[in-house]
Amino acid sequence: MDKHLLALLGEAGATGLAKGFSFRYKVFLHAYEEEKSHWNYFRNIRRSVLEFPVFYLFLLIGILSSLMGERAVKYLNKKAEEGAIDFYKKNFEPNSPEIMEILKQEFGHLSLSYRDLRDK
C-alpha cells in the first residue's frame, strides 16, 4: 500500500478515536480538531472509499473505550500515537514542514496519555 493511503486511513481512524474519547474526556476536543486537520491534509493528496468506514469504526472504539475508563483511553491513545509517530518517522521526509507540524501535534496528543483526563 502507498504511504499516503495508509496515512489517510490512519488519520481518519485517529480522528474517530479522538472524537470518541472527547464524548467523555473534553481534553480530547483539541486533539480531535488537529487530527481532523491531518486527515484533511492527506485528503488533498489521496482519497479512499474506506475513509468514513474507518472513521466510524474508530469512533465506536473511542466511545466504548471511554466507557471503560481513563486507563483504557490512555492506553489506547498511547498505542495509537506511538504508532503514528513511528509511521511518520519511517515513511516521510523529516524536513517537510507539514510532516514536522503533524509530528509535533502527535507528540502533544501522546502527552494526553500521561496526564489527568478529567475536567477540572
Side-chain angles (χ1 to χ4, degrees), residues 49-95:
V49 298
L50 297 175
E51 290 174 64
F52 286 99
V54 167
F55 170 79
Y56 288 113
L57 173 65
F58 279 87
L59 174 65
L60 181 62
I61 291 170
I63 292 169
L64 293 175
S65 63
S66 69
L67 293 174
M68 293 168 51
E70 191 171 327
R71 280 183 60 190
V73 168
K74 286 181 175 183
Y75 177 81
L76 191 54
N77 184 64
K78 181 176 182 257
K79 290 298 181 186
E81 296 302 340
E82 285 175 344
I85 290 165
D86 186 50
F87 174 78
Y88 285 121
K89 285 182 174 180
K90 286 182 180 176
N91 294 292
F92 288 92
E93 293 298 319
N95 55 358

Side-chain angles (χ1 to χ4, degrees), residues 2-120:
D2 122 68
K3 66 182 181 181
H4 291 103
L5 177 61
L6 289 174
L8 173 74
L9 297 177
E11 291 300 344
T15 304
L17 268 182
K19 181 70 171 175
F21 294 160
S22 72
F23 284 118
R24 183 165 182 192
Y25 302 105
K26 300 303 179 203
V27 295
F28 280 97
L29 284 173
H30 184 67
Y32 164 69
E33 292 299 326
E34 289 180 345
E35 294 291 4
K36 192 165 62 169
S37 74
H38 304 168
W39 184 13
N40 287 328
Y41 171 76
F42 286 105
R43 288 177 94 188
N44 291 328
I45 299 169
R46 178 84 194 263
R47 297 299 301 254
S48 173
V49 298
L50 297 175
E51 290 174 64
F52 286 99
V54 167
F55 170 79
Y56 288 113
L57 173 65
F58 279 87
L59 174 65
L60 181 62
I61 291 170
I63 292 169
L64 293 175
S65 63
S66 69
L67 293 174
M68 293 168 51
E70 191 171 327
R71 280 183 60 190
V73 168
K74 286 181 175 183
Y75 177 81
L76 191 54
N77 184 64
K78 181 176 182 257
K79 290 298 181 186
E81 296 302 340
E82 285 175 344
I85 290 165
D86 186 50
F87 174 78
Y88 285 121
K89 285 182 174 180
K90 286 182 180 176
N91 294 292
F92 288 92
E93 293 298 319
N95 55 358
S96 165
E98 295 87 3
I99 299 301
M100 289 305 295
E101 183 62 26
I102 289 172
L103 269 172
K104 178 182 161 196
Q105 291 174 352
E106 297 292 3
F107 276 109
H109 305 161
L110 178 61
S111 73
L112 294 174
S113 295
Y114 301 102
R115 59 175 278 201
D116 185 18
L117 300 180
R118 292 168 286 190
D119 291 331
K120 297 197 178 196

